[in-house]
Amino acid sequence: MLPAVVKLCCGISYPHVRSMTGKRMTSRRVNMRSVCNSSSVVFCRTAACGRGSVRTGALSPAERGSHHMSCEEALNEALEIVESTDGWKLDLAEKNGDVIYSKALKGNRKVFRLEAELDASPEELYEILFLRVEEMHRWNPSITSIRVLKQVGRNTMVTHEVSAETAGNLIGQRDFLSVRHSSRSGSRVYLGGAATRFESLPPQEGFVRAEDGPTCIILHALPHHSRKSRFIWLLNMDVKGWLPKSLVNKALPRAQLDFTKHLRHHLTGQTQESRT
């Protein structure tokens, strides 16, 4: 029912972050200022600009300031949640070792943390999940399309995503407007973020605009296995619409497992191609 809604998104909703309270991380805070400070050319892939065309000129100071604040706050907010040690309960445990834990945040909203091992290096996963995000629909049937609307520097982008319409999907298609960004700290790769606003792309007719975040993915190589990665994914989503919480809270973790299954299948296909 909900698999068509779940995807990997990275970004931040400005109202989300500014309304949240609680102390910030200190011991493992990721410095995002270096990630977000390089932004001069905006790549526009909307229908009006033409796919892949480049709009010259720098972002306005207000736009840069918003992205800088959202980058830094989003990832650290998500890491604070995923690395907290209290409140997590085991939701699902698969035979292959994949596990999902859930935790209730303020307002009784649940977030889900998936932990898995994947046969790929963090660099390979970073390329698939971030650099080649527009190709995700080719291997993930829950997605119809992902388009990069703005490229803000090398490691931050604004994307629009449409979930697929599948048989038995009781909630209908959703679309997402997100700021995605990446960072590295030591041997770990971080993908973080959630929903954002884009004046030129308001909610689309026929879709409910769902919101993510703050959310994150943590990738790091397993000890003595440089070609394998620990994959940790915090899913923090508001699907919007009139849906029972019980339905959402059962479907979201199952959808995380489905996503991981599709990702593993894609990685296997890539390995086979490299050997031929």
Side-chain angles (χ1 to χ4, degrees):
M1 289 180 283
L2 271 180
V5 177
V6 173
K7 9 68 69 194
L8 285 182
C9 85
C10 306
I12 183 59
S13 168
Y14 312 140
H16 281 184
V17 169
R18 292 171 185 172
S19 65
M20 288 187 178
T21 59
K23 64 180 180 180
R24 294 284 189 260
M25 291 180 58
T26 55
S27 60
R28 285 193 172 182
R29 176 178 285 274
V30 177
N31 183 2
M32 294 296 294
R33 293 191 184 280
S34 60
V35 173
C36 302
N37 279 338
S38 57
S39 56
S40 57
V41 179
V42 176
F43 295 86
C44 181
R45 289 177 176 154
T46 60
C49 295
R51 180 174 174 81
S53 63
V54 179
R55 188 179 73 194
T56 58
L59 293 173
S60 70
E63 286 179 306
R64 286 198 301 270
S66 293
H67 287 308
H68 295 170
M69 179 179 294
S70 62
C71 284
E72 185 172 330
E73 292 187 350
L75 186 52
N76 285 299
E77 191 75 45
L79 289 174
E80 183 177 342
I81 296 171
V82 77
E83 294 184 340
S84 62
T85 58
D86 62 311
W88 291 104
K89 296 181 179 180
L90 180 65
D91 238 55
L92 293 169
E94 299 293 285
K95 292 181 179 179
N96 64 1
D98 293 358
V99 293
I100 295 182
Y101 300 90
S102 66
K103 177 178 181 175
L105 299 182
K106 186 177 180 180
N108 202 32
R109 177 176 170 182
K110 272 192 174 183
V111 295
F112 301 90
R113 187 183 79 216
L114 178 141
E115 298 181 7
E117 292 183 4
L118 298 176
D119 291 329
S121 68
E123 289 73 19
E124 289 174 302
L125 293 171
Y126 163 74
E127 182 176 352
I128 292 170
L129 301 176
F130 191 81
L131 296 181
R132 290 159 52 190
V133 67
E134 287 189 314
E135 300 177 14
M136 194 177 289
H137 68 283
R138 298 179 183 177
W139 54 267
N140 182 3
S142 70
I143 296 173
T144 295
S145 67
I146 300 180
R147 293 292 179 88
V148 176
L149 304 180
K150 281 188 176 183
Q151 188 79 40
V152 188
R154 185 174 59 181
N155 298 313
T156 306
M157 65 181 77
V158 178
T159 64
H160 180 241
E161 179 173 341
V162 179
S163 66
E165 186 174 6
T166 60
N169 178 20
L170 300 181
I171 68 171
Q173 287 182 284
R174 258 57 174 171
D175 76 333
F176 302 80
L177 194 58
S178 306
V179 177
R180 302 166 183 257
H181 57 272
S182 65
S183 178
R184 180 184 290 273
S185 179
S187 62
R188 295 192 173 199
V189 175
Y190 298 90
L191 309 178
T196 189
R197 293 172 182 165
F198 204 43
E199 290 183 2
S200 62
L201 191 63
Q204 306 294 290
E205 184 177 354
F207 299 102
V208 174
R209 178 154 293 176
E211 294 184 351
D212 285 292
T215 186
C216 71
I217 294 167
I218 304 172
L219 308 169
H220 62 95
L222 294 176
H224 313 298
H225 293 282
S226 60
R227 296 283 300 174
K228 291 188 176 184
S229 296
R230 188 69 174 166
F231 177 80
I232 301 173
W233 173 18
L234 174 71
L235 177 62
N236 182 3
M237 178 184 291
D238 184 352
V239 300
K240 300 296 184 180
W242 298 98
L243 292 170
K245 282 187 178 181
S246 58
L247 169 65
V248 174
N249 290 338
K250 287 181 179 179
L252 286 178
R254 293 304 318 179
Q256 280 185 292
L257 294 176
D258 287 343
F259 181 94
T260 310
K261 178 186 69 175
H262 296 311
L263 178 55
R264 280 197 175 97
H265 182 74
H266 178 60
L267 292 171
T268 300
Q270 285 197 323
T271 301
Q272 292 175 345
E273 287 180 6
S274 66
R275 291 175 178 172
T276 59

